[in-house]
Amino acid sequence: QSGGAFDLLSALGITDLPDGITAEELQSFLWQSHVMSTGRQKLQHINTIEQVIELINKSSSILVLTGAGISVSAGIPDFRSEGGLYATLKEKFNL
């Protein structure tokens, strides 16, 4: 798997993805799960995953906040709840 969203996740060290997921499905999921739910304004000059990768590569400092519950408060689905990421992927891809 390569291209766009796959390259972004690979650059972040995330390589364990469900078999059969397409780049379009992955990009749509990432967009809906994060960008749209944060309420943050979109950077008008960043329109593709490739541009996001370029922006990350050019950055001298990146702040990443992690921890239990932080994703839920930001509108990102959790992993283990009934409507979380694992359940969603299990249902969508018959895992």
Side-chain angles (χ1 to χ4, degrees), residues 37-76:
S37 63
T38 63
R40 295 182 185 130
Q41 283 192 324
K42 178 189 170 301
L43 297 174
Q44 295 301 313
H45 66 287
I46 304 296
N47 297 298
T48 66
I49 293 296
E50 290 77 16
Q51 290 170 329
V52 172
I53 293 169
E54 182 179 342
L55 181 64
I56 291 170
N57 286 334
K58 287 182 176 180
S59 298
S60 60
S61 299
I62 298 175
L63 174 65
V64 178
L65 302 174
T66 64
I70 196 162
S71 59
V72 174
S73 65
I76 301 168

Side-chain angles (χ1 to χ4, degrees), residues 12-28:
L12 297 172
I14 302 168
T15 57
D16 187 23
L17 299 171
D19 291 335
I21 190 168
T22 67
E24 292 80 18
E25 291 170 330
L26 183 57
Q27 186 167 337
S28 175

